[in-house]
Amino acid sequence: MADGKGAARDFHDPRIPDRNQCVLRYLVDRWAVERPAKTHVIFEDGEEWSFLDLRRRVIEKAAGLQKLGIRQGDHVALWLPNGPDALLAFYAINYIGAVFVPFNTAYRGALLAHVVANSGARVIIVHPELAPRLSEIENAGLTHAVLTTRLEVPDFGLSTSRFEDLSGTEAELLPLDRPIDPWDIQSIIYTSGTTGPSKGVLSSYLHMFSNAGPESWPMVTQDDRYMTVAPIFHIGGMGPPFVMLARGASVAVVNSYSTDTFWDVVRKTETTVVFLLGVMATFLIKQPPSDRDRDHKVKLAFMVPFTDDAPAFKARFGIDIYTIFNMTEISSPIVSEANPVKRGTCGRPRPGVDVRLVDRNDCEVPVGEVGEMIVRTDRPWGMNSGYNANPVATAEAWRNGWFHTGDAFRMDEDGYFYFVDRMKDAIRRRGENISSFEVEAEVCAYAAVRECAAIGVPSEYSEDEVMVVVAPVPGATLDMVALTEFLVARMPYFMVPRYIRVMSELPKTPSAKVLKGDLRKEGVTVDTWDREKAGMRVRRESLTQ
């Protein structure tokens, strides 16, 4: 096997596992020897890769990346929808000790320019339908694009090659500068900012292992197959392949969630574990009952948030329900038992983490009162390593030696935690975290808008809808349709506001800060324009595979 240092252990802290337990390169090598014929990944079209086949494919692309000049520690951007190319690129990047930096496929304009500049990447692996957006921004350090598929792409300012042409043999694979350590950075995942632009979360291999590995989620075993429908640029999409790799287990990679085809895909892929985020469980339980409701191999589901639908879901589909609280920066600190009976709970702290609820001065609040959740782990590197190229945000989040989640919780006398609200201004819509700061920046770019406040208002389905309250430039009249069309061209589909309310002046404090709490309390007023009622629906763009 290439670089036989994976099994070496030159650190002695019992909290740190061996490299071949938590570092992707050594896991790929290990399972190719120990479980060569076992399926590691199955795709929606039925294609399967065994661990032996996976290693061959990964080494071929890893050597190809090295021929482009990518070396250990380099940042490599990936801008692809889910599928074989995305997963293979992810593994190949980490196999040579480079840092995996995926971008949201909905990014464009200012958001795209920000993550490109922040990423520090000079090579991007990109879908040809997305590549033209790069010509609309300053490309910062990007110099080369690796394109998937054979679609023709107009010039967008970078040298190019084809992903299918990235190849090399194991003999051509260059040796690492040093063994990849558990605390080395594995990925940078962008999560929406609330007081500034999106932040890149620095995650080590040990952070990813701790996030949902065998110790954190003991209910998931080496015999399971975990289906991921979340995009690979989210922790919910790139995490499952990694944590199942850590178990020597299997993952089903699906393009996206569809209520109509969900159970068919579950059956086809022989999935045993699913993650039901946001409204997914609600949509599934509202489907007409079928005599095939229990015709599947799923044994457990993670339901986040844990809703009143849980008992009915278990009874109908015969699946044990768990719930958790997690975010990109932390490592599943709150996990429930099977089928919790406490309504609305997120669970209790898992072993190895400390969780406190505190006031604005980091003083612990009494049981039953609301406070901000702060977290730390017993294991070094068990959570994020800060924010990429953002020391101010890192220091703020990690003040007093604890990571501050920015989320408000309460705890009952039995130690169960309950999510209350976001202490930040983030908006969550259909599983996407949205920065109010970024929404406001795009709305204010419209010539007739003087100022804007973006807020979340309750959705009739679950989570939030995006609402903006705007004050026009004096003398200007706002055309809601024209403003919406302007935003559709500039921002991801999930950020486009559904509701627009016009006020001559936004309510403010004496220090000129907008009183968003007052606006949230008023919510959707009679004079608020509703994009969906006006017949304007914004949908996810479909990318050719």
Side-chain angles (χ1 to χ4, degrees):
M1 293 294 175
D3 196 284
K5 301 173 183 176
R9 184 184 181 97
D10 51 17
F11 39 88
H12 306 286
D13 190 326
R15 297 170 298 176
I16 308 295
D18 291 337
R19 295 185 185 96
N20 65 352
Q21 292 178 284
C22 63
V23 174
L24 185 142
R25 179 186 179 106
Y26 308 127
L27 287 165
V28 169
D29 288 349
R30 173 187 175 187
W31 301 126
V33 172
E34 295 183 21
R35 301 173 186 175
K38 182 173 180 176
T39 296
H40 173 55
V41 60
I42 181 170
F43 297 98
E44 197 165 357
D45 63 0
E47 181 179 2
E48 295 186 35
W49 298 348
S50 70
F51 278 112
L52 188 62
D53 189 36
L54 173 76
R55 184 175 185 274
R56 176 187 61 79
R57 292 171 182 269
V58 168
I59 286 179
E60 179 185 30
K61 295 303 180 187
L65 288 172
Q66 287 182 331
K67 290 178 182 180
L68 289 179
I70 302 300
R71 296 292 182 267
Q72 187 170 1
D74 287 348
H75 296 186
V76 182
L78 181 134
W79 203 19
L80 296 176
N82 283 8
D85 286 348
L87 187 70
L88 188 54
F90 162 24
Y91 280 25
I93 290 166
N94 278 172
Y95 196 85
I96 58 175
V99 180
F100 173 60
V101 191
F103 295 160
N104 192 319
T105 55
Y107 281 171
R108 64 193 320 141
L111 273 74
L112 177 60
H114 164 68
V115 296
V116 166
N118 181 266
S119 71
R122 58 185 179 82
V123 173
I124 183 170
I125 303 172
V126 58
H127 193 284
E129 291 183 11
L130 297 173
R133 297 185 198 172
L134 293 169
S135 66
E136 302 169 1
I137 66 168
E138 292 291 334
N139 284 332
L142 285 180
T143 60
H144 187 84
V146 180
L147 301 170
T148 58
T149 82
R150 286 287 181 183
L151 294 178
E152 292 302 319
V153 180
D155 178 65
F156 54 96
L158 301 178
S159 64
T160 62
S161 58
R162 296 286 175 178
F163 187 72
E164 63 187 69
D165 296 331
L166 278 185
S167 65
T169 65
E170 185 167 354
E172 293 176 297
L173 195 69
L174 299 176
L176 298 173
D177 297 334
R178 59 171 177 79
I180 303 170
D181 283 321
W183 43 83
D184 287 343
I185 298 301
Q186 177 266 334
S187 63
I188 300 174
I189 305 293
Y190 283 91
T191 184
S192 293
T194 56
T195 57
S198 297
K199 300 186 288 292
V201 179
L202 294 163
S203 291
S204 67
Y205 290 93
L206 198 46
H207 176 202
M208 293 306 303
F209 178 84
S210 302
N211 190 50
E215 299 169 351
S216 307
W217 291 9
M219 69 289 290
V220 180
T221 74
Q222 65 179 21
D223 299 320
D224 282 315
R225 177 169 292 165
Y226 184 172
M227 186 173 80
T228 174
V229 299
I232 200 165
F233 50 78
H234 278 182
I235 188 66
M238 64 83 64
F242 186 93
V243 299
M244 297 311 277
L245 181 66
R247 291 170 168 81
S250 181
V251 63
V253 175
V254 178
N255 271 358
S256 60
Y257 169 79
S258 167
T259 302
D260 292 338
T261 63
F262 180 84
W263 291 114
D264 289 336
V265 175
V266 162
R267 296 182 192 104
K268 181 178 179 181
T269 58
E270 298 186 326
T271 290
T272 66
V273 178
V274 296
F275 201 102
L276 304 174
L277 182 64
V279 297
M280 291 169 61
T282 301
F283 286 166
L284 290 171
I285 199 69
K286 288 185 177 180
Q287 283 190 305
S290 165
D291 57 6
R292 300 196 71 190
D293 279 344
R294 294 200 174 197
D295 179 19
H296 57 76
K297 294 186 177 181
V298 177
K299 71 176 189 181
L300 68 92
F302 292 95
M303 183 181 289
V304 180
F306 185 67
T307 69
D308 291 345
D309 292 328
F313 197 96
K314 172 178 168 53
R316 176 172 167 180
F317 298 110
I319 298 171
D320 283 332
I321 304 296
Y322 292 79
T323 192
I324 65 169
F325 170 73
N326 198 24
M327 54 194 296
T328 307
E329 292 93 330
I330 54 181
S331 50
S332 303
I334 305 294
V335 182
S336 78
E337 70 277 18
N339 310 306
V341 296
K342 296 211 174 199
R343 180 178 179 182
T345 187
C346 297
R348 292 188 288 188
R350 66 170 178 82
V353 298
D354 292 324
V355 179
R356 297 175 59 206
L357 302 184
V358 299
D359 62 19
R360 67 180 61 189
N361 297 308
D362 283 359
C363 296
E364 199 157 358
V365 300
V367 171
E369 292 193 11
V370 174
E372 180 182 5
M373 178 182 285
I374 61 175
V375 185
R376 66 183 182 186
T377 59
D378 293 346
R379 168 181 284 158
W381 313 102
M383 296 201 299
N384 73 89
S385 301
Y387 295 111
N388 189 53
N390 197 339
V392 173
T394 300
E396 174 65 17
W398 276 104
R399 62 190 183 274
N400 289 328
W402 293 71
F403 182 79
H404 291 63
T405 67
D407 290 319
F409 279 77
R410 65 176 177 84
M411 184 186 73
D412 68 18
E413 293 181 351
D414 296 321
Y416 284 86
F417 284 78
Y418 302 81
F419 177 78
V420 175
D421 202 352
R422 297 167 187 86
M423 301 186 77
K424 315 170 187 177
D425 286 332
I427 303 164
R428 189 168 179 85
R429 180 181 184 273
R430 308 288 175 88
E432 295 281 357
N433 289 319
I434 299 170
S435 164
S436 62
F437 172 89
E438 291 170 340
V439 174
E440 291 159 2
E442 297 296 341
V443 174
C444 287
Y446 190 68
V449 173
R450 176 165 52 89
E451 59 179 345
C452 166
I455 58 173
V457 294
S459 166
E460 62 264 47
Y461 301 113
S462 178
E463 300 180 332
D464 302 325
E465 291 286 358
V466 181
M467 176 174 175
V468 294
V469 185
V470 298
V473 172
T477 300
L478 279 175
D479 181 333
M480 307 300 187
V481 173
L483 173 56
T484 300
E485 290 174 343
F486 171 84
L487 296 174
V488 166
R490 294 177 61 91
M491 59 170 50
Y493 70 96
F494 57 81
M495 287 177 62
V496 177
R498 174 177 173 179
Y499 298 110
I500 303 175
R501 179 185 177 191
V502 179
M503 303 178 71
S504 58
E505 294 282 345
L506 301 187
K508 297 184 179 69
T509 67
S511 59
K513 293 183 179 179
V514 176
L515 292 166
K516 285 191 175 182
D518 290 357
L519 295 176
R520 291 190 190 97
K521 189 179 298 184
E522 293 171 4
V524 179
T525 57
V526 293
D527 61 343
T528 299
W529 182 76
D530 183 341
R531 168 173 54 77
E532 293 193 358
K533 286 187 177 179
M536 296 187 71
R537 292 185 176 271
V538 182
R539 301 190 183 280
R540 181 195 304 266
E541 296 177 38
S542 177
L543 297 177
T544 304
Q545 295 301 303

